[in-house]
Amino acid sequence: MPATTYAVSGMSCGHCRAALTEAVGELDGVSGVEVDLDAGHVTVTGPREPDDAAVARAVGEAGYELTGRV
């Protein structure tokens, strides 16, 4: 299954991890979300490449900023 990693700014705690996991995990085609607070990365897995714009929207709506792919 493809995994895509994004750089996300503004994450600092367990609440951040939970909020992003929920927001990104609700997107179509996403089967898993891993949040690495120390690295500032969110890794999205699914059967196909994720829609970058949809991921950016979900991250933004959760209160964070997607700054690009890693």
Side-chain angles (χ1 to χ4, degrees):
M1 215 174 286
T4 305
T5 302
Y6 298 95
V8 175
S9 63
M11 304 183 303
S12 62
C13 64
H15 176 274
C16 300
R17 177 182 288 118
L20 284 165
T21 299
E22 181 179 345
V24 177
E26 291 177 350
L27 296 174
D28 273 348
V30 173
S31 60
V33 178
E34 289 185 36
V35 178
D36 183 338
L37 296 174
D38 293 330
H41 294 163
V42 174
T43 301
V44 178
T45 55
R48 62 185 185 285
E49 285 282 315
D51 177 347
D52 290 343
V55 174
R57 249 188 327 277
V59 168
E61 289 171 4
Y64 307 94
E65 182 183 4
L66 187 148
T67 57
R69 284 190 181 211
V70 177

